[in-house]
Amino acid sequence: MSFDLPGFDLDRFVRETLAEDLGEGLAGGGRDVTSESVIPAEARFSGVMDTRDAIRVAGLPVAEAFFRALDPGMTVEILVEEGASVPAGTDLMRLEGNARAMLTAERSALNTVQHLSGIATMVAQYVAAMDNPDCTLLDTRKTIPGMRHLEKYAVRMGGGANHRMGLWDAAMIKDNHVLVAGSVGEAVRRAVEAGVKDIICEVDRIDQIEPALAAGATRLLLDNMEPATLREAVALVAGRVPTEASGGINLDTIRAKAATGVDYVSVGRLTQSAPAADIGLDFTPL
């Protein structure tokens, strides 16, 4: 299965992750001492990766890349589509190849699929709780360093969408920027004068909305507002720019906040603290 994410180098990710686990560059490192000492070099395994939880699937092509990096001739059969919702007990992948390679790659492959499927599963839960086709669920930049592209991919597999990818693709004016600039309007004006195309401005009070719009904000992030205030803000914006609700949003509150008419709801914990899915890999000697 091909796997291509703009800005993400899969081969490098696999190489560096395996190098970390094998202790490359460290005294005595660069090998899997357990597999080398216990498993004959010519031994072969078959394996089945399955889920013990009901999940939204994400990351199987990355797992495949780990196994193929150590045994290019390994037979790998991915059994479910990325983004599929599957019940507990579903087989996700079948493998056949060198036993040492499977054992060495196992933890890196499982860690990745467990983490990404955990994110996708939580996103799907939030989308279902929101129950609003007119509002889009967004992630944030609260990602694990080095994992952003994969975590945001998992958000898409769960049915959500991505906020900005980083500091480069949109300006987001928050309270500390306003503190230095002196006001919301002045902060936005400076971004406009700098030629920034997409300017997201965070506001936490109704009286900040008009100055932000007048200065040229292209989206308003309505921070930590209760539903009644969100409805007032949406009415005041009157469709001039997209609106986004953020802060204090969980499975219990998301539906009410999305129902206020905002275009987006962003939730940091989708990538920041999604629990790993319970996924295992069982081997059989051949």
Side-chain angles (χ1 to χ4, degrees), residues 169-171 191-192 194-200 216-218:
D169 53 341
V192 170
V196 180
K197 179 181 177 182
D198 298 316
I199 304 172
I200 306 165
T218 61

Side-chain angles (χ1 to χ4, degrees), residues 90-113:
T90 298
D91 290 346
L92 306 176
M93 178 185 290
R94 292 196 188 99
L95 306 161
E96 185 175 322
N98 181 268
R100 285 186 180 178
M102 283 193 192
L103 290 168
T104 300
E106 175 187 14
R107 179 44 51 199
S108 294
L110 282 177
N111 283 352
T112 303
V113 177

Side-chain angles (χ1 to χ4, degrees), residues 162-242:
N162 298 143
H163 213 290
R164 59 179 184 160
M165 286 299 296
L167 295 171
W168 57 274
D169 53 341
M172 180 179 287
I173 295 170
K174 298 176 72 70
D175 52 358
N176 286 327
H177 303 102
V178 172
L179 182 64
V180 173
S183 70
V184 164
E186 177 61 17
V188 173
R189 185 190 66 77
R190 292 181 186 183
V192 170
E193 287 189 350
V196 180
K197 179 181 177 182
D198 298 316
I199 304 172
I200 306 165
C201 184
E202 177 186 274
V203 298
D204 53 20
R205 303 193 316 269
I206 292 293
D207 64 357
Q208 294 174 317
I209 291 176
E210 286 299 342
L213 292 178
T218 61
R219 184 195 298 184
L220 293 185
L221 190 158
L222 309 172
D223 189 46
N224 282 303
M225 293 184 180
E226 293 302 315
T229 307
L230 284 172
R231 283 191 291 272
E232 182 182 355
V234 168
L236 185 60
V237 173
R240 286 177 284 176
V241 298

Side-chain angles (χ1 to χ4, degrees), residues 32 37 48 79-80 115 126 132 154 160 163 166 182 185 200 217 239 246 252 254 275 281 285-286:
D32 176 353
S37 61
V48 177
L79 303 174
V80 298
H115 180 54
Y126 268 78
N132 190 330
H163 213 290
I200 306 165
S246 182
D252 295 326
I254 189 170
L281 180 54
L286 296 176

